[in-house]
Amino acid sequence: MAERVGVYVCHCGSNIAGMVDVEEVARWAGANLKDVVVARDYKFMCSSLGQAMIEEDIKKEKLTRVVVGACSPHLHEKTFRRACQNAGMNPYLCQMTNLREHVSWVSVDRKLATEKAKALVSASVERVKRQAPLEPMYVKVNPATLVIGGGIAGLQATLELADAGYHVYLVEREPSIGGHMAQFDKTFPTLDCSACILTPKMSEVGQHENVTLLTYAEVEEVSGSVGNFKVKIRKKARSVIYQKCTGCGICSEKCPRKVVDDVFEAGMGTRKAIYTPFPQAVPRVPVIDRASCIWFERQKCGACKKLCPTDAIDFDQQDEVIEVEVGNIIAATGWKMFDCKRIPQYGYGRLANVYTSLEFERLCNAAGPTGGKIVLRDGKTEPKEVAIIHCVGSRDVKYNEHCSAICCMAALKFGHLVLEKTQAKVYSFYIDMRTNQKGYEEFYQRLLEEGMVFVRGKVAEVTDAARKPSEQGKLIVQFEDTLLGKQQRIPVDMVILMGALEPQADAKEFGLKLGISCSMAGWYTERHPKLDPVATMTDGVFVAGACQGAKDIPASVAQGAAAAARVQGMITKGKVMIEPIVASIDEESCSGCRICNTMCPYNAIEFDPEKEVSRVITALCKGCGTCVASCPAGVITGAHFNNDQIFAEIEGILWDAAASPHGNGSAAAKPQPTAASL
């Protein structure tokens, strides 16, 4: 029996209609394409009225297939599938044609764009007639969740889920949770004490009955799929027995070995070989740095073990690998600071009093190495002039093209702290001042009133080469003032470099473990930048905080809560739908060559050693077709993408080639090329 196809072409406002003659495409489809019984155009087909039109036609005209020419299926395929389902049609008998991104937005000639639109609609009609009804699959969702990263985004996500009554495994690679926020002195624009607002959350997470806290640990392997992930976590050896330690601190106090703390203190202070990162650390259980410990160097000392009142020191402790099962994963792995040594003209690492923003955070922190006093590297001299240089490694095609989002406000905060604690004059060298969130512009105005000097221009060089007596012993900032159009030099005592926020060094490698991708810059890629900023293309894996892109604390907190809400919604449902457009293997014909196993980008194909055949794990399969194309025996089939459907689509797109070169025949009226002839 012949199919009855309905074609619906959307104007998409002027997005499509501005370049494509939508009315002509709809008229042509109805008059020329075989089995098309209804063809309409509408201003906004995705609107409730547009959907109602489709539903009514399915019932009235007894449609068996639907083609919608509109924008990206990524946005509205679910919308039109739902409309078909509401009218009693199998939702997988609906096919979308992307006339916006594939035609209108990439065309400059209206006539040619219209002809291309006709070809794509024709292709979809021929394809949809050969599609088979599919039924969605469902899997149960394990209510436990894995959160990776103990910064503010990870903490927020953990608390949201734990407070809702669901168990959370929180994994943090450092000895304590807290992330970069624990290093900060104050937070803009309200100048709240960072520790004061962070440590209550840290303490709550550490004591929460629904949280298993795994610090000094890293995720090694992730297998399974949405609803049922299996995760291997390596708990690195602390050389301290967690259950016995009381956090008294005697071990750290008596340890004779001091080393520079390059992590929490950003190289500005020291710590012992056995240490907790900071006084408010959670958990308050120390870690032995084996690379610095005298015992691990030459089997001597052992002061910590001898003096520990609870016998909690264990030099023989080994790494432990544990496996947990979770239904969803939230990645909140954060950011790292740009290495300012990569811009040698700014003198960092060569000129003593050039600081990074993290170093300055520790310098002005009351719990920092100088007790909050802003002094030069000699530890006693207070600066009289301070220069703050914005966009170091940001908005620069040589390093990072992205804006780091927080630098302008952090620079304003630093300026306020310098003016508050010293009598210094503060210069701020900026490209553009970006203070576009709540309360940010007011903070900028406040710093103008406090006397911070703003210079618009990119700094060319920071040098100690004096040209005049007044520059002797100073750091000279050489720059172009773009408002005055002049090259200038200003001598200062201290320079603060606002380094870029960058993805973690292992972000791409770790993303492969989770099955998620990164942008060219290295940030994790969300499912949709506007409509779905916390989900990823791997179902059940979400992102939160600065691992998805540079952002400030409020945005990180909001994204952490949003990711938790998405997970909670899936847990509450109890099951999740798996897209049925997946691959399948004819096991009787499979030779067991295992080529598909190595080619699958989602690790969705397993090998059965007993039967010596490969098998698709449908819950992991994304229907990409890589295995279908790579199978030398041709025994793998992709649902909705079999040879018959693909060849029919090709024949449909060549509708004009089937017409007589001397006439106005149509593809429907005249024989079309066969697959063999292509």
Side-chain angles (χ1 to χ4, degrees):
M1 187 176 70
E3 302 294 348
R4 295 177 65 83
V5 183
V7 173
Y8 301 89
V9 188
C10 182
H11 291 244
C12 198
S14 60
N15 279 304
I16 296 174
M19 183 57 66
V20 176
D21 188 341
V22 173
E23 294 90 343
E24 168 60 17
V25 173
R27 185 207 61 77
W28 174 87
N32 293 274
L33 296 182
K34 185 180 178 182
D35 299 327
V36 172
V37 296
V38 176
R40 304 184 191 278
D41 64 275
Y42 192 66
K43 194 81 171 176
F44 293 104
M45 196 61 71
C46 60
S47 67
S48 57
L49 292 176
Q51 294 177 62
M53 178 194 302
I54 296 174
E55 292 178 29
E56 184 180 346
D57 282 349
I58 291 173
K59 296 173 183 177
K60 184 179 178 181
E61 301 292 339
K62 302 187 184 310
L63 300 182
T64 60
R65 300 288 191 275
V66 166
V67 170
V68 181
C71 57
S72 169
H74 195 55
L75 286 176
H76 287 304
E77 188 170 52
K78 287 183 179 179
T79 302
F80 296 114
R81 281 181 178 176
R82 191 184 307 114
C84 293
Q85 189 172 29
N86 291 341
M89 179 189 289
N90 185 289
Y92 296 96
L93 299 181
C94 172
Q95 176 70 17
M96 279 198 72
T97 298
N98 190 346
L99 300 184
R100 188 178 69 177
E101 284 87 342
H102 289 179
V103 183
S104 179
W105 284 1
V106 294
S107 300
V108 294
D109 186 294
R110 184 175 175 82
K111 183 177 179 181
L112 292 177
T114 301
E115 293 303 305
K116 182 178 179 181
K118 290 178 182 179
L120 291 180
V121 168
S122 173
S124 290
V125 167
E126 293 305 314
R127 175 195 177 88
V128 78
K129 287 192 291 187
R130 290 160 178 81
Q131 288 181 185
L134 299 176
E135 294 299 328
M137 299 172 287
Y138 293 90
V139 296
K140 290 183 178 179
V141 177
N142 187 321
T145 303
L146 173 69
V147 177
I148 308 169
I152 187 59
L155 292 178
Q156 186 67 32
T158 298
L159 285 174
E160 296 281 350
L161 289 166
D163 287 342
Y166 304 114
H167 196 84
V168 180
Y169 296 94
L170 176 57
V171 177
E172 167 58 46
R173 65 169 52 167
E174 296 299 329
S176 169
I177 56 177
H180 285 296
M181 190 175 171
Q183 297 174 279
F184 300 161
D185 179 34
K186 296 184 184 297
T187 59
F188 54 77
T190 54
L191 298 176
D192 296 297
C193 167
S194 183
C196 296
I197 58 178
L198 175 68
T199 50
K201 285 186 178 290
M202 293 169 56
S203 179
E204 190 177 353
V205 166
Q207 299 173 18
H208 208 293
E209 60 183 1
N210 290 328
V211 177
T212 298
L213 186 56
L214 301 168
T215 55
Y216 207 49
E218 295 193 52
V219 172
E220 281 206 336
E221 182 182 323
V222 179
S223 59
S225 58
V226 57
N228 296 282
F229 290 104
K230 289 184 179 180
V231 185
K232 288 183 180 179
I233 301 167
R234 179 173 293 276
K235 293 175 64 178
K236 293 178 282 187
R238 286 178 176 263
S239 301
V240 176
I241 301 172
Y242 195 98
Q243 294 79 7
K244 289 186 176 182
C245 180
T246 62
C248 65
I250 292 175
C251 55
S252 296
E253 181 184 339
K254 300 301 181 182
C255 177
R257 175 62 65 84
K258 274 188 178 182
V259 295
V260 175
D261 187 351
D262 289 321
V263 182
F264 186 78
E265 294 291 355
M268 296 294 292
T270 59
R271 59 165 172 78
K272 298 295 184 69
I274 182 169
Y275 69 101
T276 51
F278 52 99
Q280 304 94 337
V282 176
R284 190 166 168 74
V285 176
V287 172
I288 293 181
D289 177 7
R290 295 187 174 188
S292 305
C293 179
I294 297 172
W295 177 267
F296 287 97
E297 278 183 3
R298 48 184 187 269
Q299 300 292 299
K300 292 183 178 181
C301 183
C304 55
K305 186 174 179 65
K306 296 171 187 174
L307 296 170
C308 178
T310 60
D311 195 27
I313 306 300
D314 181 6
F315 291 134
D316 297 323
Q317 193 178 76
Q318 299 296 316
D319 291 1
E320 178 187 0
V321 177
I322 64 171
E323 186 171 296
V324 300
E325 294 184 0
V326 297
N328 293 276
I329 298 172
I330 298 175
T333 51
W335 55 276
K336 73 175 182 69
M337 175 64 69
F338 173 77
D339 181 5
C340 294
K341 290 180 181 177
R342 293 172 61 191
I343 307 182
Q345 59 266 35
Y346 286 167
Y348 177 69
R350 176 171 52 85
L351 303 175
N353 292 309
V354 178
Y355 296 78
T356 66
S357 53
L358 268 184
E359 288 177 341
F360 189 76
E361 285 281 5
R362 299 310 302 155
L363 188 68
C364 60
N365 194 303
T370 63
K373 294 180 180 178
I374 298 176
V375 291
L376 302 181
R377 297 276 186 187
D378 61 13
K380 57 184 179 181
T381 306
E382 192 175 275
K384 292 187 173 70
E385 293 93 11
V386 176
I388 304 174
I389 302 176
H390 295 227
C391 301
V392 177
S394 293
R395 302 181 65 194
D396 191 325
V397 293
K398 294 180 181 177
Y399 307 105
N400 296 291
E401 293 187 9
H402 64 264
C403 170
S404 289
I406 58 98
C407 300
C408 288
M409 289 301 297
L412 293 175
K413 178 186 74 173
F414 290 161
H416 169 80
L417 293 174
V418 172
L419 293 168
E420 181 183 60
K421 296 183 177 185
T422 73
Q423 301 298 313
K425 187 172 185 178
V426 182
Y427 299 92
S428 180
F429 297 90
Y430 70 98
I431 301 174
D432 297 295
M433 191 61 66
R434 296 184 169 181
T435 55
N436 60 348
Q437 301 297 323
K438 183 180 179 181
Y440 287 11
E441 182 65 21
E442 292 84 348
F443 192 64
Y444 171 48
Q445 295 298 326
R446 175 178 175 177
L447 265 295
L448 285 171
E449 293 171 5
E450 288 181 2
M452 191 170 175
V453 179
F454 292 90
V455 181
R456 189 178 187 279
K458 194 171 178 69
V459 171
E461 184 183 18
V462 177
T463 180
D464 59 352
R467 294 181 183 175
K468 297 182 287 188
S470 60
E471 295 179 348
Q472 291 294 334
K474 298 275 190 176
L475 296 173
I476 298 91
V477 179
Q478 185 160 322
F479 63 96
E480 179 189 6
D481 189 323
T482 58
L483 297 179
L484 297 177
K486 290 183 179 180
Q487 291 276 347
Q488 291 185 304
R489 289 163 62 92
I490 293 179
V492 297
D493 301 306
M494 175 187 286
V495 173
I496 304 168
L497 303 178
M498 304 307 298
L501 271 59
E502 291 186 328
Q504 294 282 10
D506 62 346
K508 292 183 180 179
E509 177 186 344
F510 189 68
L512 291 175
K513 292 181 182 178
L514 298 178
I516 61 179
S517 59
C518 295
S519 66
M520 292 299 291
W523 306 112
Y524 289 138
T525 304
E526 61 287 324
R527 184 180 289 273
H528 191 280
K530 300 178 184 68
L531 303 180
D532 211 350
V534 296
T536 67
M537 293 304 291
T538 296
D539 293 337
V541 178
F542 300 86
V543 290
C547 65
Q548 183 256 345
K551 55 179 63 68
D552 58 13
I553 292 170
S556 296
V557 170
Q559 202 168 27
R566 292 291 299 278
V567 170
Q568 190 174 338
M570 296 174 70
I571 296 172
T572 304
K573 282 183 178 179
K575 61 181 181 179
V576 62
M577 189 190 83
I578 301 296
E579 181 74 27
I581 300 178
V582 295
S584 59
I585 298 176
D586 180 359
E587 294 186 16
E588 291 186 2
S589 303
C590 178
S591 66
C593 68
R594 304 185 69 174
I595 290 176
C596 57
N597 299 61
T598 59
M599 295 294 290
C600 179
Y602 300 100
N603 298 317
I605 303 179
E606 62 182 359
F607 184 74
D608 186 337
E610 292 184 5
K611 294 184 177 180
E612 295 187 341
V613 296
S614 293
R615 185 178 295 111
V616 175
I617 306 170
T618 54
L620 286 176
C621 180
K622 300 299 177 186
C624 68
T626 302
C627 58
V628 179
S630 63
C631 180
V635 299
I636 306 180
T637 304
H640 270 196
F641 288 91
N642 61 36
N643 288 346
D644 186 37
Q645 292 158 356
I646 296 298
F647 285 134
E649 188 171 17
I650 294 172
E651 290 173 355
I653 209 167
L654 297 173
W655 69 271
D656 54 343
S660 169
H662 303 293
N664 295 316
S666 70
K670 297 193 173 148
Q672 296 190 14
T674 64
S677 70
L678 294 176

